[in-house]
Amino acid sequence: MRTDVFGALANPVRRRLLETLREGPRSTGELAGLFELGRPAVSEHLAVLRASGLVSEEPRGRHRFYRLEPARLAEVGKWLHPFEHYWKQRLEALSDLLAEDDET
């Protein structure tokens, strides 16, 4: 069973892990070095990301490397798209209102 993507994205540590993985695959040790958390705690966050399908794991010898899985993020983007349209309209309306105030 896959973990909820939005639940996985709710945690700032997991979001930072994903941001780092945009640059390419990283080992558990490299990723753990980014945080003031113990390696086991980072491994737990990676396990949540893996269970949600946001990252994949590749064993290389004694190390594990993690890679971003963009397809799951694309699903999030599709879900967010209507909200982006909504906020764009709202900001345009605000801009129009402020322009009217400047004219008066």
Side-chain angles (χ1 to χ4, degrees):
M1 184 172 101
R2 280 198 167 168
T3 301
D4 174 52
V5 173
F6 293 100
L9 292 172
N11 184 284
V13 171
R14 293 192 284 266
R15 288 193 306 270
R16 181 146 179 238
L17 287 166
L18 291 172
E19 290 167 1
T20 301
L21 291 172
R22 283 188 315 202
E23 301 165 9
R26 298 282 192 272
S27 70
T28 307
E30 288 177 281
L31 294 168
L34 300 172
F35 301 95
E36 293 183 15
L37 299 172
R39 190 174 174 146
V42 173
S43 291
E44 286 182 35
H45 286 293
L46 289 166
V48 171
L49 291 172
R50 194 174 63 246
S52 68
L54 291 167
V55 301
S56 60
E57 177 187 65
E58 178 188 342
R60 295 184 196 169
R62 293 177 40 191
H63 302 281
R64 296 180 186 278
F65 282 75
Y66 289 86
R67 171 186 318 274
L68 185 64
E69 292 297 334
R72 289 291 281 173
L73 287 173
E75 291 176 28
V76 173
K78 286 179 188 175
W79 187 84
L80 287 172
H81 182 71
F83 296 97
E84 180 182 337
H85 180 71
Y86 168 79
W87 282 109
K88 185 177 179 183
Q89 288 179 325
R90 301 290 296 172
L91 290 172
E92 286 173 0
L94 177 60
S95 179
D96 292 345
L97 183 63
L98 292 172
E100 287 176 17
D101 276 354
D102 286 344
E103 293 174 3
T104 58

